[in-house]
Amino acid sequence: MAPITDHPLRYKLANELHARPFPSLSAPCSAVYIAIKQPNDAVSRDRAQDLAHLTALLDRHGAPHPQPGATHYYGQIGKHWLKWEQHTEFVTYTAFSETIYERPFDPAQFDVFPSDWLEAAPGQRMTSVLLHIEQQPGDIAEVSTRLDDWFVSESLAVSEVLDQAAIVAGDFRIDQNGHLRFAVFAKPETGTRRIGRIVQRLCEIETYKTMSMLGFARVRALQPKLNDLDTKLTGLMSDMSDEDAPAEWTLHNLLAISAELETLSAQSSFRFGATGAYEALVNQRIAALREARYQGRQHFGEFMMRRYAPAMRTVHSAESRLEAMSSRSIRASNLLRTRVDVERSAQNQSLLESMDRRSDLQLRLQRTVEGLSVVAISYYAVSLVGYLIYPLTQATGMSKGMLTALATVPVVLLVWWMVRRLRKSVE
């Protein structure tokens, strides 16, 4: 094959698909998981702080550091294997151990993450999980007994997954130590990678579920403001049909509401979009488990349908409501602006008619003044002509008054003609 130049990102893009492999786990074992997120502007956070926090944990165990700018890491720290992943809004730590604790879900499992190291985390805990993995007991009734002892029955979700390769269970409740619990009962023949995929998907379901609920919290904070703006908007739209209501005042208030709605939409657009993406991931991860009902109990999909889906529908409803209110305010503003323009056009028409009337009066007054000016100019012109014809009194034997009288008519006609010609040339 002839040599060809590779794209500079070819290997990086190809390796990205293999950068986050599922862990390989053998039952029995345990795992602890934590997701950390900065409370504000998590998307634009300084990601170097995430890497520095991971490095601080690795240094405690003398473990090798990740590559500069890494977004994932997998390595051994002491008796645990650590998996670290950096996401758009959060980072996750998962520690796997083959150590078997006498008490399932022992909070001592979380000691792999020292308390002072957790306090120095560049963010806050979004969720933390204790996972207990063991082989299915020979007596299937023992599974039900353990589930009743470990979880709250009212919210317990249980199912057989991946073609009955394992039984998974969890109640999505935070225990007295601040952690959620998941149990996995794997069949003896279930492979290590399959167990790892089950554990990874359980952690992802919990994380994406928690992250998507941030949108629900945002909606709850928005509801009072949306209700208030909706009432104001409805009142202003009613005022539009009232001819006595000042249109410009109504338009000013409508534009203020439109601006406020656009601000709320801009502030919430990312959270609403992220909620939709996280919700899709939750549903995809549950579908990937290929659940089958276990002893008539509710499975994860049913639990999400009853408890989680209504919250997501509330988020989507609020998003649609905000868009609808924004569109409604813009349409109302456009209609009212048209009404204001029509009223201004009528005012301008009235003003033009008034100006026409004033121009007509001015024209009449001007013509009156022209007549007076002809008389005044003629008076002075006749006086001048009188001085010119005064010497003719002796030659003609006519008096000065008679000559002046004879000259008056031609002079007045000449002045009138000159003024008229001047006015026509100006017009």
Side-chain angles (χ1 to χ4, degrees):
M1 179 177 178
I4 187 172
T5 303
D6 286 331
H7 190 280
L9 297 178
R10 180 192 174 201
Y11 285 96
K12 183 177 181 180
L13 297 176
N15 293 334
E16 184 65 25
L17 301 179
H18 311 285
R20 305 170 190 264
F22 291 106
S24 297
L25 303 175
S26 298
C29 63
S30 62
V32 293
Y33 174 86
I34 185 171
I36 299 173
K37 174 187 177 296
Q38 289 190 3
N40 300 308
D41 298 327
V43 176
S44 57
R45 69 187 185 279
D46 183 5
R47 297 172 185 264
Q49 294 182 7
D50 299 336
L51 205 57
H53 191 232
L54 168 65
T55 303
L57 179 63
L58 298 177
D59 287 342
R60 295 184 181 223
H61 300 275
H65 292 183
Q67 295 293 328
T71 58
H72 48 82
Y73 175 86
Y74 189 78
Q76 189 170 8
I77 55 171
K79 297 180 180 180
H80 295 78
W81 284 90
L82 177 69
K83 182 176 183 180
W84 173 83
E85 292 183 330
Q86 188 179 65
H87 299 264
T88 303
E89 291 191 86
F90 57 91
V91 294
T92 61
Y93 293 82
T94 313
F96 309 97
S97 174
E98 295 180 356
T99 302
I100 305 302
Y101 292 83
E102 294 183 2
R103 183 176 55 158
F105 305 109
D106 191 332
Q109 294 177 233
F110 222 79
D111 291 344
V112 64
F113 301 129
S115 58
D116 60 329
W117 177 82
L118 289 173
E119 290 178 1
Q124 299 172 343
R125 174 172 59 176
M126 288 303 300
T127 186
S128 59
V129 182
L130 299 176
L131 296 109
H132 176 76
I133 302 100
E134 65 176 64
Q135 288 187 359
Q136 286 188 21
D139 185 3
I140 199 65
E142 190 174 344
V143 174
S144 298
T145 301
R146 295 182 184 183
L147 294 181
D148 293 336
D149 291 340
W150 295 344
F151 301 104
V152 178
S153 299
E154 186 271 333
S155 57
L156 176 62
V158 188
S159 61
E160 293 184 292
V161 298
L162 300 183
D163 304 322
Q164 300 181 345
I167 298 171
V168 297
D171 57 7
F172 293 95
R173 290 180 179 269
I174 301 175
D175 64 15
Q176 64 271 21
N177 298 302
H179 310 300
L180 279 82
R181 299 177 175 185
F182 286 113
V184 179
F185 299 93
K187 286 186 176 180
E189 63 271 17
T190 303
T192 58
R193 292 190 177 277
R194 176 163 282 195
I195 296 176
R197 287 197 295 271
I198 293 172
V199 170
Q200 181 71 22
R201 285 165 181 165
L202 290 175
C203 293
E204 290 175 347
I205 289 171
E206 166 55 23
T207 303
Y208 295 134
K209 183 264 298 177
T210 301
M211 292 299 298
S212 61
M213 290 299 290
L214 290 176
F216 182 68
R218 175 65 178 167
V219 167
R220 280 190 167 179
L222 275 179
Q223 288 291 7
K225 190 66 176 177
L226 289 179
N227 293 337
D228 181 55
L229 290 175
D230 198 2
T231 301
K232 291 181 179 179
L233 181 59
T234 302
L236 288 174
M237 295 183 71
S238 298
D239 292 341
M240 290 175 58
S241 59
D242 186 1
E243 296 182 357
D244 296 331
E248 292 191 2
W249 176 86
T250 306
L251 178 60
H252 174 77
N253 290 331
L254 271 175
L255 292 177
I257 291 178
S258 297
E260 196 164 357
L261 287 171
E262 287 299 318
T263 300
L264 292 177
S265 179
Q267 293 174 345
S268 305
S269 60
F270 173 80
R271 180 49 52 201
F272 287 156
T275 296
Y278 291 136
E279 179 192 7
L281 288 172
V282 170
N283 294 330
Q284 288 174 1
R285 296 302 186 268
I286 292 177
L289 289 175
R290 302 200 298 275
E291 292 186 287
R293 191 176 298 278
Y294 176 75
Q295 293 186 351
R297 298 175 182 261
Q298 69 172 348
H299 49 64
F300 282 70
E302 185 178 356
F303 176 89
M304 293 300 176
M305 179 186 67
R306 295 179 55 196
R307 311 291 183 93
Y308 173 72
M312 294 300 99
R313 285 196 294 269
T314 300
V315 174
H316 300 323
S317 175
E319 183 180 11
S320 300
R321 181 186 182 190
L322 183 57
E323 293 177 356
M325 288 176 61
S326 181
S327 299
R328 187 152 51 103
S329 66
I330 292 174
R331 290 196 302 270
S333 299
N334 291 335
L335 289 174
L336 194 56
R337 190 180 291 110
T338 302
R339 174 182 168 185
V340 170
D341 291 342
V342 170
E343 291 180 354
R344 287 180 177 175
S345 298
Q347 293 175 356
N348 292 337
Q349 183 66 27
S350 176
L351 180 61
L352 290 174
E353 292 176 356
S354 176
M355 292 176 63
D356 288 342
R357 288 193 297 270
R358 286 197 296 270
S359 298
D360 185 58
L361 292 175
Q362 290 176 355
L363 180 61
R364 293 180 183 180
L365 180 61
Q366 180 181 354
R367 290 179 178 176
T368 302
V369 171
E370 285 180 3
L372 296 175
S373 63
V374 169
V375 173
I377 295 172
S378 298
Y379 173 77
Y380 290 106
V382 168
S383 298
L384 292 175
V385 171
Y387 286 109
L388 291 175
I389 64 176
Y390 181 73
L392 297 178
T393 55
Q394 293 181 356
T396 58
M398 299 175 67
S399 65
K400 180 181 178 181
M402 181 59 69
L403 290 175
T404 301
L406 293 174
T408 297
V409 174
V411 169
V412 171
L413 291 175
L414 179 62
V415 170
W416 175 81
W417 177 79
M418 292 178 63
V419 170
R420 182 179 178 83
R421 183 177 179 183
L422 180 62
R423 179 168 60 82
K424 286 186 176 181
S425 64
V426 171
E427 293 176 353

